[in-house]
Structure formats: structure tokens, C-alpha cells
Amino acid sequence: MKLTVVGCSGSFPSADSACSSYLVEADGFRLLLDMGNGALGELQRHCGLYDLDAIFLSHLHADHCIDMCAYFVARYYRHEGGRCGAIPVYGPEGTEQRLTTAYADTPSSSSMSEVFDFHTLKPGSFEIGPFSVRTEKVSHPVEAYAIRIEHGATSLTYSGDTGVCTALDSLASGTDLFLCEASFTHGKEDIPDLHLNGREAGQSAQRAGAGRLVLTHIPPWTDPSANLTDARAVYDGPVELARPGAVYEL
Ligand SMILES: [Zn+2]
Ligand SMILES: [Zn+2]
């Protein structure tokens, strides 16, 4: 299983990174986790525009899904080869309607479904291509999911956006790589059920017994080095900051 960080800026893009988007590949299958602002451009550095096989949207905040509107254009109005077939898109209740509204003038209210096969997420286990996945609802102001992806004997867990929650700890239990958000700074922001800070991400990784921790979704106004230090203080395993283009072979 190979993980590529397409974009990792939290909440809004930075000068150096698009918003949340991560490419997971195995056996020639390409699953994209989230497609936030700017991700579609960056994605083309790592994967052909039409080479995705499935998309998972953790929640419907713009920094996780808004480039799906641009990707609709690319698939629906493809110049060569005609309109693309529908690839599976897993998202919270109302994903199709939200994206259709965001795009504003799709030819019809069902146009999105011509190029995206929408599946409504619920907590549970299912298969996406060669991956066994498990999803859990996490603590965020809107319906939001974390996902654990297993392939053979390896696993990675992606938090999406969340505050501290036991569902996340149990989902990440024993995972090889924990891609966990750390939007806030310990001692600076303290808003429950919204985001984690570096210390909380480290504590979650420690409770889960994760093999390694990659901190992501750090907004441009947050000092990443503070979050890295805070996570290292409470987690025994290796910790690093996600960066655009980083590749992890699992
Ligand atoms: Zn976010
Ligand atoms: Zn969010």
C-alpha cells in the first residue's frame, strides 16, 4: 500500500500546499481520500486525471470536498474519449446534493451522478477495490468520518477532521500509520468537538498504539513545529509533519 500526500493544509490552502487530499494505492487501484481546495491540480503531479478508481470524502466542509466540482467538469466534459463513466464516491448523507448546489449550474440535478456513483457513508466495514475499510463517525460540527484502510497485513488510519473521541482511538488501534489532524495548538485554542491539537493527536496515537504518526491538516496560521513538539512529548513512536508530495510505502 502506498500513501501519497497530495495536499495537507488545514482549513484553507497555504502558499505551499493544497487542502486535504491523500492518494492511497495498491494492486493498481487508486483511492483518493478527500479533495479539498487546490487538490485537483496537485493530484495531477501524482496520478493521471482519469486514473482514480474511487473517492472517499470524510465530510462536506469545503477544504475536504470542494475540488469535486472541478473534477466534475473534467469528467463530464472530457474532450477526448467522451464523458467518463461513474466512479464510486463515498461521502456523508447529502453529498450529491451539496456538490450539485456548489457547482450551481450542472445541466440537470442528476448530472453529477453520471460521472460519480455516490454511496452514503455509515459507520461500518466494507470493501473498496482491494482495500478492506472501516469507517467511524468522529466529533466535528458536521457529519464526519475517519477511515481505516487495510491491505494485506498493513493498515493506515486517517482521522478526517475531529475533536478528541474514543471512536478515533479504537479505529486507529494498532494501525501502522496514523494520518491524524492537528489543527489547533495546545494552550492556544480549546474548542471541544472541532479539531485536535498536536498534543491530543499524540495522545490519541499513544492510546491507539499506532506504529507511526503523521500530523496533517495544520492551517497556515498554526505553527507546525509547536504541534510536532507537543505530539512527541506524549507519543512514544515516530512523529512527523505531512508535506505535499510525501510518499509512504506500507
Ligand atoms: Zn478541514
Ligand atoms: Zn471540517
Side-chain angles (χ1 to χ4, degrees), residues 123-189:
S125 300
F126 57 102
E127 308 288 317
I128 303 178
F131 304 113
S132 298
V133 309
R134 203 176 116 209
T135 54
E136 286 286 357
K137 254 187 202 170
V138 288
S139 297
H140 203 52
V142 298
E143 184 179 354
Y145 291 87
I147 185 169
R148 180 186 179 110
I149 301 166
E150 300 191 346
H151 182 260
T154 60
S155 70
L156 74 87
T157 302
Y158 168 50
S159 65
D161 282 5
T162 184
V164 175
C165 69
T166 55
L168 181 64
D169 295 349
S170 70
L171 194 71
S173 178
T175 198
D176 295 299
L177 187 150
F178 188 15
L179 180 61
C180 187
E181 76 120 291
S183 309
F184 287 162
T185 302
H186 177 59
K188 190 172 151 202
E189 299 105 335

Side-chain angles (χ1 to χ4, degrees), residues 59 61 63-64 140 142 161 195 217:
H59 65 299
H61 279 154
D63 58 319
H64 296 258
H140 203 52
V142 298
D161 282 5
H195 289 300
H217 197 279

Side-chain angles (χ1 to χ4, degrees), residues 205-222:
Q206 183 70 16
R207 287 191 296 268
R212 66 193 296 191
L213 173 62
V214 179
L215 300 176
T216 193
H217 197 279
I218 298 179
W221 55 41
T222 294

Side-chain angles (χ1 to χ4, degrees), residues 72 76 85-87 96 100 109-118:
F72 165 76
Y76 194 87
I87 56 167
E96 180 179 359
T100 298
S109 60
S110 63
S111 297
M112 282 266 175
S113 64
E114 292 184 50
V115 294
F116 299 128
D117 180 17
F118 291 99

